[in-house]
Amino acid sequence: MSAIISDDFLDKSPPLYSGGVLSNVLGLHIFRTLYLNIWRMKPKKVKDELKSYVETLDRDGILIIPDFFPKDIFEQIRKEFDESYSGWSPFDYNEEELSKRQKDFPEYFKTIAEKIISPNTPVFTKYFVNNETINEITTAVVHRKNRLTPHHHFWYLQRRTLENEKAGYTHSAAYPHADVPYPTIKVFLYLNDVDESNAAYIYAKGSHKMTLQRLLFEYKLSVRYAKTKNDIVTDEDIAKLGYYPESICGKANTLFISNNMGYHNRGDFKTLEPRLTAQLDYRHLETWRNTLSRNDTDMISKVTRRIVKKIDKAKKKKLRASLSNNNMS
Ligand SMILES: [Fe+2]
């Protein structure tokens, strides 16, 4: 089976763009965007207590809830965050230690410190990662059952120096972008007070809607991307569509749920104040691993779970073989 299935088959989600110049000129991106949005233009029904939250998310593409956790729970999450970063200083910089992702933007990371951790600490896991409210709202918007744990992070971001003012714009995350052309959810919890001076998240409310205008805009972008690999969109581009980005400022313990089919970007730092967040990413809802990891006891579920196991086993075997080959050479 592994011979016909690519290694990342289980964990791959449909990307922002796909295909070459000709297929996109012929409308591939239009067809895939329509296909990826069909049956999920409106959120699913949720229990009464969550209705107004989901309505806001449907209207704006982002839902902001200040003071999300009871004070003691929030303080424990913040404590777990602080402990996870003990022994690390944002002022230490070693180009050699940049992660694979960071190496794509060396100029940015010379000025801005970033450290992402995927913690399994108890309070963060119980109240944030396995949060029933967040889970129900997310699955209603995305129209996918969640069978796995979302990607979960602590994220420390801080400017190290006030020199090099334009450094923030050397990362593509500084420009408005949609992560993918279908509903997808990211969740942020501010762990300190965040505003325009310490890189507040920026979101263009209403830009998550699939409209004819958006579809035509996407068509142009898909052809440009296929030709040049340029995916930069500017505030002026999206203003022409009637979308206006705004900073999502909030005190510590502000939670927001963002549909990242909408246009968003990372804010800039004007001070050396850090931006500390806990984040969840539900992109895995689009993967075959999530679809096949059915947790029922019926025959189909048993078979699909076995498929996942087999693919993982074959992948591990291949990895082991390539590692031992490398060791021999
Ligand atoms: Fe993004």
Side-chain angles (χ1 to χ4, degrees):
M1 183 150 49
S2 62
I4 49 164
I5 290 176
S6 73
D7 282 349
D8 54 0
F9 162 77
L10 277 181
D11 297 297
K12 222 170 148 182
S13 49
L16 181 57
Y17 304 117
S18 181
V21 178
L22 182 62
S23 50
N24 278 290
V25 169
L26 292 174
L28 171 68
H29 189 66
I30 300 258
F31 291 118
R32 62 189 289 274
T33 301
L34 288 173
Y35 169 73
L36 290 164
N37 279 278
I38 211 154
W39 312 124
R40 45 179 177 167
M41 304 276 275
K42 280 272 166 200
K44 279 198 297 193
K45 279 206 170 75
V46 287
K47 58 177 177 239
D48 284 354
E49 306 95 275
L50 300 182
K51 260 189 187 159
S52 69
Y53 284 159
V54 171
E55 278 165 15
T56 303
L57 201 44
D58 180 39
R59 184 191 65 219
D60 295 341
I62 189 162
L63 167 72
I64 304 155
I65 312 175
D67 295 320
F68 184 71
F69 286 114
K71 200 168 172 272
D72 61 319
I73 302 291
F74 175 76
E75 276 168 4
Q76 288 179 66
I77 295 176
R78 176 64 209 247
K79 192 167 167 248
E80 290 179 352
F81 180 95
D82 291 340
E83 283 167 1
S84 303
Y85 286 89
S86 69
W88 176 79
S89 163
F91 293 100
D92 296 339
Y93 172 67
N94 182 353
E95 206 174 333
E96 307 285 294
E97 283 170 13
L98 291 185
S99 67
K100 208 167 153 263
R101 226 176 57 91
Q102 291 171 333
K103 279 188 179 136
D104 288 340
F105 304 100
E107 280 307 306
Y108 181 86
F109 290 108
K110 231 181 238 176
T111 308
I112 290 154
E114 178 191 63
K115 191 170 171 68
I116 305 167
I117 294 176
S118 298
N120 291 313
T121 51
V123 185
F124 169 81
T125 305
K126 182 174 174 190
Y127 292 94
F128 188 59
V129 182
N130 296 327
N131 189 293
E132 279 301 317
T133 300
I134 296 173
N135 192 57
E136 188 171 345
I137 294 173
T138 298
T139 52
V141 170
V142 178
H143 284 252
R144 299 276 186 265
K145 265 193 182 157
N146 182 25
R147 300 181 173 108
L148 303 169
T149 306
H151 295 294
H152 46 281
H153 310 292
F154 284 152
W155 200 309
Y156 196 123
L157 203 64
Q158 180 179 343
R159 186 165 166 173
R160 283 192 207 94
T161 162
L162 292 173
E163 285 166 26
N164 194 4
E165 262 179 41
K166 297 267 176 279
Y169 294 92
T170 57
H171 197 302
S172 58
Y175 297 90
H177 63 279
D179 287 351
V180 286
Y182 50 84
T184 189
I185 292 290
K186 281 189 184 164
V187 181
F188 300 76
L189 175 71
Y190 282 153
L191 297 173
N192 64 335
D193 297 348
V194 179
D195 61 23
E196 293 94 339
S197 69
N198 59 337
Y201 185 72
I202 296 175
Y203 193 88
K205 286 183 180 168
S207 66
H208 62 300
K209 292 275 184 198
M210 181 39 62
T211 60
L212 182 61
Q213 208 187 15
R214 166 85 184 256
L215 209 54
L216 294 172
F217 182 61
E218 291 262 349
Y219 173 79
K220 275 195 269 176
L221 294 178
S222 71
V223 174
R224 187 185 72 177
Y225 182 77
K227 282 182 181 162
T228 65
K229 298 288 170 235
N230 174 9
D231 58 358
I232 297 285
V233 174
T234 62
D235 285 350
E236 291 73 38
D237 291 331
I238 62 167
K240 282 183 199 151
L241 302 174
Y243 307 145
Y244 300 97
E246 57 183 275
S247 293
I248 309 300
C249 302
K251 295 273 173 212
N253 200 15
T254 298
L255 180 105
F256 51 95
I257 302 181
S258 174
N259 180 349
N260 281 14
M261 177 176 167
Y263 282 90
H264 62 280
N265 55 295
R266 185 184 289 174
D268 200 11
F269 284 98
K270 294 175 188 77
T271 65
L272 302 186
E273 201 56 39
R275 182 185 97 170
L276 312 178
T277 52
Q279 299 188 20
L280 300 174
D281 180 346
Y282 283 87
R283 188 71 46 77
H284 73 279
L285 295 181
E286 312 300 319
T287 64
W288 277 105
R289 184 182 296 281
N290 189 56
T291 309
L292 297 174
S293 298
R294 296 162 55 109
N295 30 24
D296 304 325
T297 49
D298 59 276
M299 201 52 203
I300 295 176
S301 299
K302 279 182 191 160
V303 171
T304 59
R305 281 202 302 269
R306 200 169 299 158
I307 293 172
V308 172
K309 265 193 184 161
K310 266 200 152 173
I311 297 175
D312 279 341
K313 219 171 143 188
K315 199 174 155 183
K316 264 191 198 151
K317 212 171 143 190
K318 212 168 142 186
L319 193 73
R320 267 202 302 271
S322 83
L323 280 176
S324 67
N325 278 348
N326 282 346
N327 286 342
M328 284 197 305
S329 58

